[in-house]
């Protein structure tokens, strides 16, 4: 039986760009799926198809047990959506923004006001509740936007890079909110560029590249697939990077990666602490001064690099959508259209 969010053979093209190329997803009820991928991989397009904002070229889609293509209005009543960028009415106060969303979903005035107060407190916006949104900082606007997506306590949530622009404190605050939602039975599809976020929140992770799901599993399963351990070295002098790289290449079981600005070198190895001791001795023999050295397990960053071969690429998907739609501010209009459709669905 399909999960609360289900896609089979999802295809979407923009001209000659194939943004989605047969994507399959299945998210069980009450769980979090982390959708990872480089810029332009198809993550946002998948979210927009599942939330009725884009019509796919082909594929079967179900959300909350409803066929997305046959029953879009019913789907809109069952979901919450937070896009990549905050989309709030700058001329309304924080409180008015939340009450407006409640009223668009046909909530009565008193319950809408009570829900707004609850969310303002939950997202630490009470003190700014009566200020217009245009006076908010970027992080405050983001929190207000996320609060708006939760006004109706939907059974299924879509969050497209929800913590972009948030500081660590507010990111942790949002993580706590997400955990409470999921513990209460909400199903969540989360796209993110913060791999720590997916590691922290997702029950399951799907890695997307060039419009296809190229790997799926838990965080631990994907890390095991990458295999081995990593030796990480920070050299004291930038001029010693090339020599350190040569030393690590003699012990490694794969390519040595170098971050020039941090003077950090990383190489996959097998052999554990015994091999680490040998590497330290060899670096010392070669006169390389180290600020830090250690042995660690693979991270999701390592998984990402191993599977896709890169961390980011040109946003071909976004450019294709903008060309197809003639829309330079797509995400804000998505949110506006989503709210309007929600209103139409309930009239």
């Amino acid at each position: 039986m399909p999960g609360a969010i289900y896609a089979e053979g999802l295809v979407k093209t923009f001209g000659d760009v194939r943004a989605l190329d047969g994507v399959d997803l299945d998210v069980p009820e009450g769980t979090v799926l982390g959708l990872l991928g480089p810029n332009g991989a198809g993550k946002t397009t998948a979210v927009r198809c599942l939330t009725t904002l884009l019509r796919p070229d082909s594929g079967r889609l179900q959300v909350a047990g409803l066929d997305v293509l046959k029953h879009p209005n019913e789907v809109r009543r069952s979901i919450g959506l937070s896009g990549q960028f905050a989309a709030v009415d700058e001329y309304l106060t924080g409180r008015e923004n939340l009450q407006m969303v409640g009223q668009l979903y046909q909530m009565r005035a008193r319950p809408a006001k009570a829900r707004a107060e609850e969310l303002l407190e939950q997202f630490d916006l009470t003190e700014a509740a009566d200020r217009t949104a245009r006076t908010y900082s970027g992080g405050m606007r983001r929190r207000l936007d996320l609060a708006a997506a939760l006004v109706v306590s939907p059974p299924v949530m879509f969050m497209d890079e929800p913590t972009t622009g948030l500081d660590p404190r507010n990111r942790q605050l949002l993580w706590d909110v997400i955990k409470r939602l999921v513990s209460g039975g909400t199903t969540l599809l989360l796209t993110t560029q913060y791999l720590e976020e997916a590691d922290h929140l997702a029950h399951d992770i799907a890695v997307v590249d060039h419009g296809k799901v190229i790997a799926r599993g838990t965080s631990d399963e994907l890390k095991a697939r990458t295999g081995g351990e990593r030796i990480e070295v920070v050299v004291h002098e930038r001029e010693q990077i090339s020599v350190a790289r040569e030393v690590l290449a003699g012990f490694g079981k794969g390519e040595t990666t170098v971050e020039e600005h941090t003077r950090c070198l990383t190489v996959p190895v097998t052999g554990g602490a015994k091999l680490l001791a040998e590497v330290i001795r060899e670096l010392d023999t070669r006169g390389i001064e180290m600020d830090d050295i250690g042995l660690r397990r693979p991270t999701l960053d390592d998984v990402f690099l191993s599977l896709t071969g890169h961390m980011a690429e040109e946003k071909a998907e976004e450019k294709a959508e903008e060309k197809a739609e003639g829309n330079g501010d797509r995400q804000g209009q998505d949110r506006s259209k989503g709210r309007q459709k929600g209103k139409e669905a309930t009239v």
Side-chain angles (χ1 to χ4, degrees), residues 90-223:
E90 294 189 344
Y91 295 96
L92 296 180
T93 66
R95 178 179 284 106
E96 289 169 343
N97 265 283
L98 298 182
Q99 290 180 217
M100 177 188 70
V101 173
Q103 290 168 353
L104 286 174
Y105 278 99
Q106 302 296 295
M107 292 176 68
R108 293 184 180 276
R110 184 169 295 178
K113 182 178 180 180
R115 181 59 175 157
E117 294 296 336
E118 179 183 343
L119 288 167
L120 288 166
E121 182 176 356
Q122 193 172 28
F123 282 87
D124 197 21
L125 291 169
T126 302
E127 291 185 5
D130 295 313
R131 285 166 42 194
T132 56
R134 62 180 173 176
T135 68
Y136 283 17
S137 67
M140 291 169 69
R141 290 188 188 195
R142 190 65 178 138
R143 281 146 52 201
L144 181 62
D145 182 69
L146 292 166
L150 299 174
V151 166
V152 293
S153 301
V156 178
M157 276 290 302
F158 294 86
M159 293 186 175
D160 196 4
E161 301 190 19
T163 59
T164 299
L166 296 186
D167 58 36
R169 174 180 174 274
N170 285 307
R171 187 173 300 141
Q172 182 64 56
L173 183 151
L174 178 61
W175 289 358
D176 293 340
V177 170
I178 290 174
K179 287 179 180 178
R180 287 196 295 271
L181 282 171
V182 177
S183 65
T186 299
T187 305
L188 173 64
L189 189 150
L190 169 77
T191 79
T192 181
Q193 291 292 341
Y194 297 110
L195 303 188
E196 178 193 4
E197 187 163 270
D199 210 354
H200 193 78
L201 295 173
H203 297 93
D204 209 11
I205 294 170
V207 181
V208 181
D209 197 19
H210 297 293
K212 296 181 179 181
V213 176
I214 60 174
R216 174 89 186 244
T218 65
S219 176
D220 286 341
E221 287 169 347
L222 291 176
K223 290 173 185 176

Side-chain angles (χ1 to χ4, degrees), residues 3 10 14 44 46 65 67 83 213 234 237 250 260 292 312:
L10 179 56
F14 299 97
T44 295
D67 188 301
V213 176
V234 178
E237 299 291 343
E260 294 278 351
D292 193 18

Side-chain angles (χ1 to χ4, degrees), residues 52-67:
T52 77
L53 293 173
L54 272 180
R55 187 173 183 87
D57 298 331
S58 62
R60 179 185 172 204
L61 303 177
Q62 286 188 7
V63 173
L66 300 164
D67 188 301

Side-chain angles (χ1 to χ4, degrees), residues 5 20 58 71 102 110 186-187 216 235 273 294 308-310 315:
I5 302 172
L20 298 173
S58 62
H71 307 290
R110 184 169 295 178
T186 299
T187 305
R216 174 89 186 244
V235 298
T308 69
H310 48 83
K315 296 188 178 182

